Amino acid sequence: MRNPIKDTDYLAISARIKAMETTLLTRERMEQVLEAKTDDEALKLLQESGYPQLRGTDPTALDAALSAAREESFADLSDSAPDPRYIDVFRLKYDYHNIKVLLKAAAVGANPDHMLADMGRVSVQQLKDALAGNETADLPPMLAAAAAEAKEVLDTTRDPQLSDIVLDRWSYRDMLAVAEATGSSFLRGYVQVQIDAANLRALVRTLRMGKNEAFLSGVLFEGGDIPADAILKVSADKGAGLKELYEPTRFREAVECAQESLHGGALTEFERLCDDAVSDYLSGAQFVPFGEAPLVGYLAARETEYTNLRILLTGRGTGLSPDVIRSRLRGCQA
């Protein structure tokens, strides 16, 4: 049996995290990259912050470089984290992503290699072998069950979206189970706020499409802090009660924006505000001197940074104006 881990077991890694947080891109540095007159100037600013050469004009190369940076961060912290399950919460989404890719590629006879991300708990090769031979016994139990159910849904319906929903549901279930197994209320809260964000997005999209609550119930995820039955009631009432349900929560601003989106407005700002609500939850980690919270907060901050870099560099590469790019950037801690 794993010995209980105390906050004090995180003294050493918490000190490292505090030092590593100083290397996160600040809002000021991102603004400098955004306003750089040339791509070379923008790249130089990022290189000064420790990044390799990144170019938004080559999305494949950009994704590969960011994936390498992400994997380096995972590997570095995995060696010193008292409980590797805190890293697993961030890794496991790549397991489910890879299952999605492999199942859909097999269904149409395509080569999936360029879409796979070898950053999960399970190597890409092990997943390939397990699915090709229908031998999933060596996979983590929830991942094995998810792969089997998703394959059955895809084989039966030929609808990859339904298969993806199955895998997304298992992914959140897996994340929540890992969080609960650690005994960390902070990590569990992080997973729950992500589920709440996903369910709010699903509710708003359902209302925009004019679908009913039966449709929504098929895409809601279990385990969030906001009850599913309350979300379904808003759907059944055609959006009435949306503001009241979310007013007391950190999604208040996202819902205010959603009101405009329900009448045909763009979803871009709403999506950003949903992500910012998750970041708002994580901001509490900055005030915890030691324990698992600084580790979780740092890993999530890096994920946000990679997202922002992709938005920023891809936007520059496609000629978007600074104002448009700026409006899409997620909130950051630094």
Side-chain angles (χ1 to χ4, degrees):
M1 179 180 295
R2 188 190 295 267
N3 292 327
I5 294 176
K6 305 181 292 295
D7 284 351
T8 50
D9 292 325
Y10 283 87
L11 281 170
I13 194 172
S14 295
R16 280 194 66 210
I17 290 296
K18 292 301 179 185
M20 294 166 73
E21 284 176 345
T22 64
T23 67
L24 290 166
L25 291 178
T26 63
R27 292 183 179 87
E28 180 183 7
R29 177 50 60 99
M30 283 198 292
E31 187 67 24
Q32 290 172 347
V33 175
L34 180 60
E35 294 288 354
K37 292 182 172 58
T38 66
D39 287 344
D40 286 342
E41 182 183 338
L43 295 174
K44 183 179 179 182
L45 288 167
L46 290 174
Q47 287 171 335
E48 290 172 354
S49 299
Y51 276 96
Q53 191 165 357
L54 303 172
R55 288 192 178 277
T57 52
D58 186 347
T60 301
L62 175 61
D63 285 344
L66 293 177
S67 293
R70 183 182 283 110
E71 177 55 31
E72 182 179 351
S73 180
F74 285 159
D76 180 25
L77 292 171
S78 293
D79 291 339
S80 52
D83 189 337
R85 292 176 296 187
Y86 290 104
I87 314 295
D88 286 347
V89 164
F90 291 87
R91 282 190 178 277
L92 69 81
K93 66 182 179 182
Y94 298 103
D95 293 330
Y96 287 88
H97 164 80
N98 289 334
I99 293 288
K100 288 180 184 179
V101 172
L102 289 168
L103 288 179
K104 285 184 277 192
V108 298
N111 185 335
D113 288 350
H114 67 289
M115 297 183 65
L116 296 169
D118 213 348
M119 291 179 289
R121 300 163 299 173
V122 181
S123 72
V124 164
Q125 190 57 54
Q126 185 180 350
L127 286 178
K128 283 182 175 181
D129 293 343
L131 295 182
N134 201 25
E135 295 288 343
T136 59
D138 291 335
L139 298 181
M142 283 197 179
L143 186 63
E149 184 180 343
K151 185 177 186 305
E152 181 180 1
V153 167
L154 187 58
D155 289 345
T156 303
T157 66
R158 314 305 296 177
D159 187 338
Q161 285 189 318
L162 292 179
S163 178
D164 283 355
I165 290 170
V166 167
L167 287 164
D168 287 339
R169 181 169 288 114
W170 275 101
S171 176
Y172 283 121
R173 191 179 297 164
D174 203 346
M175 289 174 66
L176 196 57
V178 172
E180 289 175 344
T182 67
S184 168
S185 60
F186 184 82
L187 185 61
R188 183 176 67 252
Y190 171 54
V191 176
Q192 288 178 313
V193 75
Q194 289 185 83
I195 294 171
D196 287 336
N199 284 344
L200 175 55
R201 289 186 178 103
L203 170 59
V204 170
R205 290 193 184 106
T206 298
L207 292 170
R208 274 173 60 101
M209 293 186 294
K211 300 286 188 178
N212 59 25
E213 63 273 19
F215 172 86
L216 178 60
S217 67
V219 295
L220 282 182
F221 302 118
E222 307 160 357
D225 195 47
I226 300 170
D229 58 351
I231 298 173
L232 289 170
K233 185 177 187 306
V234 171
S235 176
D237 293 340
K238 310 300 182 186
L242 175 65
K243 183 176 180 180
E244 290 75 12
L245 177 61
Y246 287 93
E247 183 70 28
T249 76
R250 64 185 74 251
F251 294 97
R252 181 178 64 255
E253 288 186 38
V255 164
E256 289 175 0
C257 180
Q259 301 281 7
E260 299 178 12
S261 300
L262 291 177
H263 299 290
L267 288 172
T268 306
E269 178 70 2
F270 164 70
E271 295 277 359
R272 184 185 67 79
L273 289 170
C274 284
D275 287 344
D276 284 355
V278 177
S279 295
D280 177 64
Y281 172 84
L282 289 162
S283 65
Q286 297 179 76
F287 306 104
V288 179
F290 54 84
E292 79 281 5
L295 172 60
V296 174
Y298 173 78
L299 285 167
R302 277 295 183 200
E303 288 292 305
T304 299
E305 181 169 296
Y306 300 141
T307 298
N308 280 338
L309 279 174
R310 195 178 194 289
I311 292 170
L312 199 161
L313 294 177
T314 302
R316 283 186 61 101
T318 55
L320 290 179
S321 73
D323 284 343
V324 171
I325 297 171
R326 191 178 290 112
S327 71
R328 296 179 181 179
L329 292 176
R330 273 48 180 170
C332 58
Q333 290 187 20

